[in-house]
Amino acid sequence: MAKVLIIAEHAHGQLNPSTARSVTCASAMEGAQIDIAVFAADAAAVATQAAALQGVSQVLTVNHPANAEPLAAVLAPQVASLAKDYSHVLAPSTTFGKDLLPRVAALLGVGQLSDIMAVESLSRFRRPVYAGNAIITVEAPRDRTLVATVRIASFQAAEAGGNAMIEAVALDVPLPAHTRLVDRTAVRSDRPDLQTATRVVSGGRALASAENFSLIRSLADKLGAAIGASRAAVDAGYVPSDLQVGQTGKIIAPELYVAVGISGAIQHLTGIKDAGTIVAINKDPDAPIFEVADIGLVGDLFAILPELESTLAAA
Ligand SMILES: Cc1cc2nc3c(=O)[nH]c(=O)nc-3n(C[C@H](O)[C@H](O)[C@H](O)COP(=O)(O)OP(=O)(O)OC[C@H]3O[C@@H](n4cnc5c(N)ncnc54)[C@H](O)[C@@H]3O)c2cc1C
């Protein structure tokens, strides 16, 4: 029987929704037992949230002062030690998972499978290549632990309603002392997180300045949406790089995506392949974004956005 261990991503006592999406991926592996490991200084609150996910059998908590911060170098040997009882080790394909799992794979002496987007069997998976322009089917060796990241945009979050057991685990693993957190600079925002938001409003080069991006912020506020941007907007310094959507930015799957002044380059579209309804505002009727848009507004964004906002305010 397959035994799947999912490494929980969390911060400030909150389980990241990417973990619930990884559970849905694991649930597609027929007959698999799904456990979640929570590494923290005090894992209790996160473990309770993880145990409530449907499909989870057991939550393992590894409490240790060194686990207060999710440092890949510190977590990897602990995950590798837990992995000996499992056939599969999964983590979301977020910065957290992409940082951690290659180290785990190296410690276990296996290769890492990246970006699972569909499960065909316990050893066959589909994943995107060439910036999402092609999908390949990968057959993993069955006689070794499979270490893999999950493309979270491809899976819905597992629902709450489960009641898994929570068990504290003490690991006898030497932890490296060469890596420690010195400082963390994080942008504090009350807006939804770009990667997990159900609505996203993104701006492109056409915004023409950082100041004009306030038009995007204002519409996002009205819609309760997260903010995104094209790479051209990021490179021009209108917004920070953590807002970039696309091949070299975030891969997202909101229910509503509003692309404002974005041409629809293939590298941008890669990031919104799994979006629900796509609305595009662009003054060029031949812009490629209209090929993927469900609703297209042709015109000057500086005229359309204020109009759209006043319509929303009146609604
Ligand atoms: C290896 C690689 C990786 C990349 N990764 C990414 C990535 O992750 N994300 C990403 O976004 N890009 C990525 N790019 C860049 C990508 O190829 C495009 O250059 C970029 O997406 C273009 O951004 P844009 O649509 O904002 O700008 P443009 O392509 O310049 O488009 C601006 C659009 O705004 C419209 N417009 C102009 N004025 C107005 C107005 N007043 N009102 C309405 N519409 C207007 C124009 O008609 C045009 O369609 C990558 C490129 C490479 C080579």
Side-chain angles (χ1 to χ4, degrees):
M1 185 183 75
K3 280 188 76 183
V4 183
L5 181 68
I6 297 172
I7 313 305
E9 177 171 359
H10 60 91
H12 313 299
Q14 290 297 316
L15 187 67
N16 188 292
S18 60
T19 304
R21 290 174 183 254
S22 302
V23 169
T24 304
C25 171
S27 302
M29 298 178 196
E30 210 178 329
Q33 176 188 318
I34 303 168
D35 294 352
I36 294 181
V38 183
F39 294 86
D42 177 0
V46 176
T48 306
Q49 297 159 48
L53 294 174
Q54 274 180 26
V56 177
S57 301
Q58 202 177 185
V59 175
L60 307 175
T61 57
V62 186
N63 294 308
H64 193 291
N67 293 340
E69 297 292 341
L71 297 176
V74 174
L75 297 187
Q78 301 177 74
V79 175
S81 162
L82 276 182
K84 62 183 182 307
D85 297 325
Y86 290 87
S87 55
H88 298 65
V89 178
L90 304 182
S93 189
T94 54
T95 307
F96 167 76
K98 288 194 277 193
D99 193 22
L100 174 62
L101 283 205
R103 286 176 182 265
V104 174
L107 289 171
L108 294 175
V110 298
Q112 187 208 259
L113 173 61
S114 301
D115 289 332
I116 293 179
M117 62 184 295
V119 176
E120 292 196 351
S121 75
L122 295 179
S123 57
R124 271 171 85 91
F125 304 91
R126 273 183 278 149
R127 63 173 297 253
V129 290
Y130 301 125
N133 288 316
I135 310 295
I136 56 168
T137 302
V138 180
E139 182 80 43
R142 287 164 185 255
D143 57 345
R144 297 183 201 168
T145 311
L146 179 77
V147 176
T149 58
V150 176
R151 185 177 186 273
I152 56 171
S154 301
F155 299 94
Q156 297 293 321
E159 306 252 331
N163 188 19
M165 278 189 318
I166 300 177
E167 192 189 326
V169 179
L171 295 174
D172 186 15
V173 180
L175 299 181
H178 54 61
T179 304
R180 66 196 160 84
L181 185 84
V182 176
D183 192 17
R184 180 194 296 280
T185 310
V187 181
R188 287 246 158 238
S189 169
D190 293 334
R191 290 210 172 79
D193 170 52
L194 173 59
Q195 217 154 1
T196 51
T198 53
R199 296 171 179 180
V200 174
V201 181
S202 275
R205 195 198 306 271
L207 268 298
S209 72
E211 292 70 39
N212 287 342
F213 234 83
S214 60
L215 289 168
I216 300 293
R217 284 192 197 91
S218 178
L219 179 61
D221 286 346
K222 291 264 175 337
L223 293 171
I227 290 176
S230 72
R231 177 158 154 183
V234 167
D235 287 351
Y238 305 161
V239 285
S241 59
D242 59 334
L243 297 189
Q244 184 176 318
V245 172
Q247 181 187 341
T248 42
K250 304 253 161 65
I251 308 285
I252 59 174
E255 287 165 18
L256 173 69
Y257 186 72
V258 185
V260 183
I262 292 178
S263 58
I266 188 71
Q267 295 90 352
H268 187 81
L269 299 184
T270 297
I272 56 168
K273 257 190 169 43
D274 297 296
T277 301
I278 298 176
V279 178
I281 301 173
N282 198 302
K283 68 177 185 187
D284 175 6
D286 295 323
I289 190 77
F290 288 127
E291 286 167 27
V292 298
D294 300 283
I295 299 168
L297 296 172
V298 179
D300 185 346
L301 72 91
F302 295 104
I304 291 178
L305 285 186
E307 216 175 304
L308 197 58
E309 268 205 50
S310 54
T311 310
L312 281 171

